[in-house]
């Protein structure tokens, strides 16, 4: 199962660094994905394994090449952005963020509901957090600060720290962060998240 790869990586156990590619069945909800660990790729798709391998993706970055991703999605399929995959463990205890009502039309929430399930929304004047069942069913956080122009007030870091109380102590929690979103990436790294790979979601066009 794809989830096992993420949970193993959270424990420091990674696939072999062999340049290889593992092909798995597609995700729920009509989604596919390409996951890159160090020296090994995992691809979840409705395409046949021999068809995928014939395109010669590899575990050294080839599984993330634009040409391969476009082929995987099809000419009219949707391709998400390539994100860094980060993980740490929840802290549990008394929840430090209240549930947030009236945010269903927020772009961050709408996107979460398109690609995740069981989306819960929390937040306060600093911004909002979603906690959901994300890629392969993993527990996943996303964050949006209320004022992205506020600079280094620490709102992102404090929101993430408080959001970790919403996840049972010791349970792995994941985040997918665009490397170009340096402010967000720094906030996650500063709160103890560690990079384990990269990923991209796709919604292939119907056959």
């Amino acid at each position: 199962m794809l989830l096992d790869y993420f949970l193993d990586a959270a424990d420091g156990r990674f696939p072999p660094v062999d340049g290889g590619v593992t092909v798995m069945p597609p995700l729920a909800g009509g989604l596919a994905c390409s996951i890159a660990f160090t020296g090994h790729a995992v691809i979840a798709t409705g395409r046949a394994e021999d068809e995928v391998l014939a395109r010669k993706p590899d575990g050294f970055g080839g599984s993330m090449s634009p040409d391969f991703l476009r082929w995987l999605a099809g000419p009219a399929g949707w391709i998400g952005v390539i994100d860094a995959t980060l993980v740490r463990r929840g802290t549990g205890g008394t929840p430090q963020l209240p549930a947030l009502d009236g945010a269903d039309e927020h772009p961050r929430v709408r996107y979460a509901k398109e690609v995740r399930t069981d989306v819960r929304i929390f937040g306060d004047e600093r911004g909002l957090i979603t906690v959901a069942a994300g890629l392969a069913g993993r527990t996943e956080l996303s964050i949006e600060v209320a004022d992205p122009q506020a600079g280094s007030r620490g709102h992102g870091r404090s929101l993430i720290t408080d959001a970790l109380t919403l996840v049972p102590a010791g349970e792995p929690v994941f985040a997918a962060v665009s490397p170009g979103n340096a402010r967000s990436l720094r906030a996650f790294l500063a709160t103890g998240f560690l990079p384990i790979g990269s990923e991209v979601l796709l919604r292939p066009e119907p056959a």
Side-chain angles (χ1 to χ4, degrees):
M1 292 175 56
L2 181 56
L3 180 59
D4 292 334
Y5 281 88
F6 291 120
L7 297 180
D8 284 348
D11 287 332
R13 299 189 302 271
F14 292 91
V17 183
D18 58 3
V21 176
T22 299
V23 180
M24 308 188 78
L27 307 171
L31 293 171
C33 69
S34 182
I35 311 297
F37 297 104
T38 299
H40 196 92
V42 181
I43 298 166
T45 175
R47 294 185 180 272
E49 179 178 12
D50 58 352
E51 187 182 12
V52 173
L53 297 180
R55 304 293 298 195
K56 299 189 183 303
D58 60 57
F60 299 126
S63 68
M64 294 293 187
S65 72
D67 287 345
F68 175 72
L69 294 177
R70 173 48 63 199
W71 173 81
L72 203 61
W78 170 77
I79 303 173
V81 300
I82 297 177
D83 284 327
T85 310
L86 311 175
V87 66
R88 68 152 292 172
R89 296 185 183 274
T91 57
T94 303
Q96 297 298 306
L97 274 179
L100 190 64
D101 296 322
D104 288 346
E105 293 307 309
H106 189 285
R108 175 72 60 179
V109 176
R110 288 205 310 267
Y111 177 76
K113 291 185 174 182
E114 288 174 2
V115 298
R116 305 176 190 127
T117 58
D118 301 325
V119 178
R120 296 178 290 151
I121 312 164
F122 303 87
D124 54 25
E125 70 281 354
R126 294 169 294 173
L128 64 79
I129 286 275
T130 68
V131 182
L135 179 56
R138 68 190 187 189
T139 300
E140 193 167 329
L141 291 182
S142 67
I143 178 175
E144 184 85 16
V145 295
D147 182 7
Q149 305 303 323
S152 57
R153 293 181 183 174
H155 288 175
R157 297 181 187 191
S158 62
L159 268 174
I160 295 168
T161 298
D162 287 349
L164 291 169
T165 67
L166 306 170
V167 180
E171 179 181 310
V173 55
F174 297 82
V177 182
S178 170
N181 189 352
R183 187 176 294 173
S184 179
L185 185 58
R186 289 197 304 267
F188 276 98
L189 294 175
T191 51
F193 278 79
L194 295 175
I196 57 171
S198 61
E199 62 187 62
V200 59
L201 281 172
L202 309 96
R203 182 172 279 112
E205 61 182 329

